[in-house]
Amino acid sequence: MIRYALKCDQNHSFESWFQSAAAYEKVRTAGMVSCPDCGSVAIEKALMAPQIRPGDKAASTPERPLSSEPATDRDKALAELKRQVEEGSDYVGLKFASEARAIHDGTAPDRPIWGEARLDQAKELIDDGILVAPLPFHPKSKTN
């Protein structure tokens, strides 16, 4: 997984996780990445500082936010959404597309889920009227 700092054409900044750089390009060009503030799909990568992990012997330090600005209402809302996803949904991993379809069809219990899906799988689900959306963060699964 890779985290990108992103910016829309209205100058709103946000972050999101992607499976790879190629996956980011595919979903962005397909118009599937949108600004959480204004909904714009004119998205570009913003400048971001690399995260370097210390060696085993280095003292651990808490993760620093990318910005020194105080938490915004959007940041607080995203943190709350992340908490709700982590506490109230099932991680189904690579079975996300098949499990989402089974829930939609009524052959699996109705419950909130999250996991991974290829772009073509996500597009098929959306084309079939199954509501799915990329998360703007990567929750911790019970297996993490």
Side-chain angles (χ1 to χ4, degrees), residues 9-98:
D9 60 344
Q10 301 300 310
N11 214 26
H12 298 127
S13 296
F14 60 102
E15 295 178 356
S16 192
W17 289 90
F18 299 91
Q19 188 173 7
S20 64
Y24 161 76
E25 286 300 328
K26 284 182 184 177
V27 295
R28 186 189 64 80
T29 56
M32 295 179 71
V33 179
S34 63
C35 174
D37 289 332
C38 66
S40 172
V41 294
I43 305 296
E44 296 297 328
K45 287 188 264 186
L47 194 58
M48 68 185 278
Q51 285 189 317
I52 301 172
R53 296 186 182 195
D56 291 340
K57 295 181 181 179
S60 65
T61 57
E63 184 176 321
R64 270 190 10 231
L66 291 178
S67 169
S68 60
E69 296 176 21
T72 63
D73 289 342
R74 179 178 51 109
D75 294 334
K76 292 174 187 171
L78 282 173
E80 174 59 18
L81 177 61
K82 183 177 182 200
R83 184 193 65 74
Q84 289 176 4
V85 168
E86 289 174 351
E87 293 176 5
S89 64
D90 293 332
Y91 175 68
V92 294
L94 296 174
K95 297 178 184 176
F96 178 81
S98 61

Side-chain angles (χ1 to χ4, degrees), residues 1-4 15-19 51 134-139:
M1 295 295 288
I2 187 168
R3 179 179 66 182
Y4 283 133
E15 295 178 356
S16 192
W17 289 90
F18 299 91
Q19 188 173 7
Q51 285 189 317
L135 294 173
F137 49 79
H138 191 271

Side-chain angles (χ1 to χ4, degrees), residues 97-111 113 125 128-130:
S98 61
E99 192 66 19
R101 185 170 303 284
I103 290 170
H104 179 77
D105 294 342
T107 58
D110 189 13
R111 67 198 194 285
I113 61 170
L125 292 171
D128 292 344
I130 302 170

